[in-house]
Amino acid sequence: MKKIFKTIFPGLGLISLLTLSSCSDSSDDARYRSHPPHIATLEVVKLHGTGTNFAVGDTLVATIVQDRYGRLLNSATYAWGISVSSTADNPFIHKPNKSGCIYDQDASNPTDTIIPNTRGVYTITFDGKYRISGSNYEPANYTENLGNGVNVTYASGATSYLIKVSRNITVR
């Protein structure tokens, strides 16, 4: 019995070592690397009509436009926020279209519907959390100013990407 253990245990150690080294090779493979979506803009348009002059009562649709979809992402959760420089009791109506999805199955551009009830400068914010499902991930820790008052901040960690987008609009 002791002879069997002396023969088997050294072999198990070698097999374990080879298995671990083969796993580390695939973790650096680009095919298994997650990357976040890249945001092109936070677009705000009128549901009815044209132009960029927004008025009280207009139905506005805010859309996060991606110019590169994320890869190897599991779930995504979205949160929209709105603040306004007004002291009115109910300065807006807010209807986000969804709060989450399985990103690799539904990478559509998130939208929100806003109906301003008062004049002022509105700050629209979007917070997206994208859970990493690859064996490795592309680091993303930076801020971009996209013009038209659109700012995007990317933050990455071992389990998720956090993307924050903000834009100011004026309602007259």
Side-chain angles (χ1 to χ4, degrees):
M1 189 75 151
K2 288 183 179 180
K3 189 172 187 175
I4 292 173
F5 284 124
K6 285 183 178 181
T7 306
I8 292 176
F9 280 120
L12 288 175
L14 180 61
I15 290 170
S16 298
L17 183 62
L18 291 173
T19 303
L20 287 175
S21 66
S22 68
C23 290
S24 66
D25 290 341
S26 67
S27 68
D28 291 335
D29 191 331
R31 294 178 296 173
Y32 306 111
R33 186 175 303 129
S34 294
H35 65 76
H38 186 265
I39 308 303
T41 193
L42 191 166
E43 180 180 72
V44 180
V45 297
K46 295 179 190 180
L47 186 59
H48 305 288
T50 60
T52 57
N53 293 325
F54 306 124
V56 170
D58 283 344
T59 300
L60 307 177
V61 178
T63 304
I64 296 296
V65 179
Q66 303 169 81
D67 62 2
R68 181 185 83 176
Y69 291 105
R71 184 172 181 286
L72 292 177
L73 301 173
N74 187 357
S75 64
T77 54
Y78 309 125
W80 288 89
I82 301 171
S83 61
V84 63
S85 61
S86 171
T87 57
D89 287 339
N90 296 307
F92 57 86
I93 298 169
H94 167 72
K95 303 175 191 174
N97 73 334
K98 63 181 171 183
S99 61
C101 67
I102 303 299
Y103 185 85
D104 284 349
Q105 295 175 10
D106 179 8
S108 60
N109 293 326
T111 63
D112 188 11
T113 303
I114 305 150
I115 303 171
N117 293 329
T118 187
R119 294 177 179 192
V121 175
Y122 285 72
T123 301
I124 303 167
T125 58
F126 168 84
D127 291 294
K129 182 176 183 178
Y130 302 84
R131 301 209 40 90
I132 293 170
S133 63
S135 61
N136 197 346
Y137 66 97
E138 174 185 304
N141 293 296
Y142 58 94
T143 298
E144 291 182 326
N145 180 334
L146 303 178
N148 287 335
V150 180
N151 293 299
V152 182
T153 300
Y154 298 87
S156 62
T159 61
S160 62
Y161 293 108
L162 302 174
I163 299 176
K164 184 175 185 89
V165 185
S166 66
R167 177 176 179 182
N168 292 334
I169 63 167
T170 301
V171 175
R172 297 187 164 116

